[in-house]
Amino acid sequence: MSKDEIITIIAEHVRAVVPTLEAHQFSHDDKLKELGANSVDRSEILMMTMESLSLKISLVDLASARNIGELAGILREKLQSS
Amino acid sequence: MKNYNRAEILISGVGVTSAIGQGKEDFVSGLLQGKHAFEVMKRPGRQIPHIDSENEHGSPFLGAEISSLTLPDSLPRGLLRTASFSSQVALASLHEAWNDANLNGIDPVKIGLVVGGSNFQQREIVQTQKAFHERLSFLRPAYAFTFLDSDLCGLCTEYFGIKGLAFTIGGASASGQVAILRAAQAVQSGEVDFCIGMGALMDLSYWELQGFRNLGAMGPQRFTGEPALACRPFDKDRDGFIYGESCGAVVVERADSRQTHIKNPYARISGWAMTVDGNRNPNSSLDGEVRVIEKALSQAGLKTNQIDYINSHGTGSVTGDQIEVDAFSICGLNDAFINATKSLTGHGLSSAGAVEVIATLLQMKAGFLHPTKNLENPVEPVCNWVSHKSISHEIKNSINMSMGFGGINTAICLQKY
């Protein structure tokens, strides 16, 4: 799965959790917090994304991601090594 | 903190959602017409998973469900995504009460919220656990706080900006009234100037429904195929309560809470009381009910002959209804008009006390008393029943009764303002 495909999945869940972003065009540089997702929203988005990817990892493994692009990158690596 | 022991306590706003109507206009019209919504319940999580058709105890559960809930457009969808059904109904009901009492512009630190009920999101929890049963590691993180009843307080205080106080308070089927009593105490003590007392929607799953059925508390046993006849408080053929979804919120304030006095409050809360029976079980107590009536009347400074309307607890319980009319008789209240709101709405459990206070206030305002559905052969002793049809009556002083499992009795006296 490509990084862009993972970003599409993340974006789908962000839109579900933060409906005001329905029309937002997501980019690699987007930061969830700056988009208005609070800490619970971010946990929800990550959990939904991990389920979509059938990826069972700890949330701690994703903590270093500074934006959606980096998050997709870490998820892609985890997918490849799982 | 000032103490306002002698302060006049008023009800300035109401909000209600029930199976016979959402909003006070719909609700009062449903009451007046003697409307009901009893049928086999359809909401997911209220069906017995494996029905044994040979076993009558496996028959579908009857009750009254809210057919469609209208939520205020201003509610953010993101907030609603993880809001339980009880919370959504609470937001809608509080929205109405808030606007009714015109709380916009009031300093939010002076406003409190007391939510009556405990364990009221059972169906929601059962459904979540069912959905994530085989994928536990992906359980939505918000479950860590949405399973708590107090999440309803969090949602309401966030949306309405309440900053005084907020908590849930449990009193079984008296919870709604206990919440109003606590709200009255909060404004009387000066903790806050305005306090919302709410009875939360008790969202039962098939587990609680089966428990009530097995306990013999919930009907019907006779009218299983005739939902319209099943709920019959105080009738000789009653055989248990019938559940009904509802939620009610009232705004309580002191007469001096605003710089400009509130115009046309619904009523004055003239007296209230709570007694307990020292009994863990579901059975009610004549002594406890008599004491709570006497205590409330004494606080209100009223004689029994001044009470002209009783909004009964009247659930359809075989023993509970009998004990309640016996208590009215002992207290000399037989001449006051009596009806049973649950005959129309069903028993909301945690919400009942608040919804029935609202039913009383709306009847007081409209000058009528609603019928008691299916009251064909009333239990004795003789009481002044409002049975088949609504009647015109100007309520001056009323008493509302609520009783809960575990020996809880409450009463509120309302006086026309």
Side-chain angles (χ1 to χ4, degrees):
Chain A
M1 190 177 285
S2 73
K3 203 167 155 182
D4 281 344
E5 284 171 321
I6 295 175
I7 288 180
T8 305
I9 291 170
I10 296 170
E12 178 195 331
H13 294 313
V14 174
R15 288 190 186 104
V17 173
V18 189
T20 48
L21 296 173
E22 210 158 324
H24 181 76
Q25 294 299 317
F26 288 88
S27 75
H28 288 228
D29 297 335
D30 276 337
K31 294 181 170 67
L32 290 175
K33 196 172 178 179
E34 288 175 4
L35 289 175
N38 65 29
S39 63
V40 175
D41 294 338
R42 298 198 295 276
S43 304
E44 293 266 312
I45 292 161
L46 293 178
M47 198 57 69
M48 291 156 86
T49 304
M50 286 175 356
E51 183 168 21
S52 294
L53 299 172
S54 300
L55 193 59
K56 289 187 184 179
I57 53 169
S58 166
L59 287 177
V60 179
D61 294 337
L62 306 173
S64 64
R66 285 171 301 178
N67 55 40
I68 288 179
E70 288 185 15
L71 177 62
I74 299 172
L75 287 167
R76 187 159 180 266
E77 276 174 31
K78 295 285 176 190
L79 270 178
Q80 285 169 342
S81 62
S82 66
Chain B
M1 191 165 72
K2 283 188 186 174
N3 189 302
Y4 298 90
N5 250 334
R6 291 166 184 274
E8 195 172 41
I9 310 292
L10 307 176
I11 296 181
S12 56
V14 302
V16 63
T17 309
S18 79
I20 62 164
Q22 179 177 356
K24 60 180 182 177
E25 276 88 19
D26 264 12
F27 182 62
V28 80
S29 142
L31 290 177
L32 180 59
Q33 294 165 32
K35 200 173 155 186
H36 83 91
F38 298 111
E39 56 181 320
V40 170
M41 291 199 279
K42 300 183 182 72
R43 206 174 296 290
R46 298 221 177 109
Q47 293 73 42
I48 300 171
H50 303 289
I51 291 178
D52 174 0
S53 58
E54 298 299 312
N55 177 1
E56 63 169 331
H57 295 296
S59 62
F61 296 117
L62 297 186
E65 296 181 315
I66 295 163
S67 58
S68 64
L69 176 67
T70 306
L71 290 165
D73 293 335
S74 52
L75 280 174
R77 279 192 294 146
L79 198 66
L80 292 175
R81 193 183 67 87
T82 50
S84 69
F85 184 57
S86 298
S87 291
Q88 293 188 26
V89 176
L91 284 163
S93 306
L94 180 49
H95 189 265
E96 182 186 19
W98 187 274
N99 290 328
D100 200 27
N102 194 19
L103 292 182
N104 289 320
I106 303 278
D107 183 353
V109 300
K110 294 180 176 173
I111 304 176
L113 169 68
V114 182
V115 174
S118 35
N119 311 104
F120 50 71
Q121 306 182 109
Q122 296 296 98
R123 188 187 62 88
E124 200 83 27
I125 291 169
V126 165
Q127 292 301 91
T128 303
Q129 293 176 351
K130 185 181 166 194
F132 287 92
H133 179 63
E134 290 179 346
R135 49 190 187 108
L136 182 61
S137 55
F138 297 117
L139 178 65
R140 52 173 229 241
Y143 183 72
F145 59 85
T146 58
F147 85 92
L148 298 166
D149 287 330
S150 52
D151 181 46
L152 186 151
C153 298
L155 275 163
C156 288
T157 54
E158 178 173 323
Y159 179 69
F160 293 97
I162 296 167
K163 293 196 171 165
L165 56 86
F167 52 86
T168 61
I169 192 164
S173 293
S175 295
Q177 210 180 105
V178 172
I180 297 174
L181 302 190
R182 186 61 187 83
Q185 288 163 349
V187 298
Q188 191 180 50
S189 70
E191 275 178 280
V192 284
D193 290 345
F194 302 83
C195 196
I196 296 130
M198 176 187 285
L201 183 142
M202 173 62 81
D203 198 357
L204 297 180
S205 78
Y206 64 89
W207 286 99
E208 293 73 47
L209 291 163
Q210 188 69 43
F212 284 126
R213 176 179 277 179
N214 290 0
L215 187 65
M218 192 181 77
Q221 293 165 44
R222 290 186 189 86
F223 300 98
T224 50
E226 296 166 285
L229 301 178
C231 189
R232 39 199 322 121
F234 300 112
D235 183 74
K236 284 184 176 158
D237 285 336
R238 71 194 183 282
D239 58 16
F241 78 84
I242 307 294
Y243 168 69
E245 291 178 340
S246 61
C247 173
V250 303
V251 179
V252 178
E253 60 183 79
R254 290 187 313 276
D256 66 354
S257 289
R258 302 180 200 240
Q259 287 177 336
T260 314
H261 281 229
I262 179 96
K263 286 178 188 162
N264 299 320
Y266 284 88
R268 175 185 291 115
I269 304 182
S270 54
W272 64 78
M274 180 178 199
T275 62
V276 291
D277 305 332
N279 173 26
R280 177 259 185 115
N281 287 302
N283 56 306
S284 42
S285 150
L286 182 61
D287 169 66
E289 293 183 24
V290 168
R291 283 191 299 121
V292 86
I293 293 168
E294 289 175 343
K295 209 170 155 185
L297 288 174
S298 164
Q299 196 198 348
L302 291 171
K303 293 181 180 146
T304 50
N305 63 7
Q306 291 176 278
I307 295 289
D308 56 272
Y309 169 63
I310 301 170
N311 187 292
S312 66
H313 180 64
T315 63
S317 154
V318 176
T319 55
D321 285 7
Q322 184 65 60
I323 287 173
E324 191 176 359
V325 290
D326 288 344
F328 295 145
S329 179
I330 288 172
C331 293
L333 287 167
N334 305 55
D335 292 335
F337 285 114
I338 303 183
N339 58 13
T341 303
K342 291 182 186 77
S343 71
L344 308 174
T345 58
H347 191 352
L349 303 159
S350 49
S351 65
V355 169
E356 288 155 18
V357 160
I358 294 169
T360 301
L361 295 168
L362 295 177
Q363 290 176 100
M364 193 178 268
K365 204 102 173 162
F368 80 90
L369 302 178
H370 71 72
T372 305
K373 193 171 167 57
N374 295 322
L375 184 56
E376 287 161 13
N377 298 295
V379 290
E380 292 179 350
V382 173
C383 289
N384 199 357
W385 299 107
V386 187
S387 50
H388 299 88
K389 300 191 289 192
S390 59
I391 61 165
S392 293
H393 176 70
E394 299 289 334
I395 301 172
K396 292 186 185 67
N397 284 292
S398 64
I399 187 164
N400 269 68
M401 302 293 293
S402 277
M403 272 71 83
F405 284 1
I408 297 167
N409 314 290
T410 59
I412 295 184
C413 296
L414 300 170
Q415 190 165 55
K416 193 170 177 66
Y417 191 77

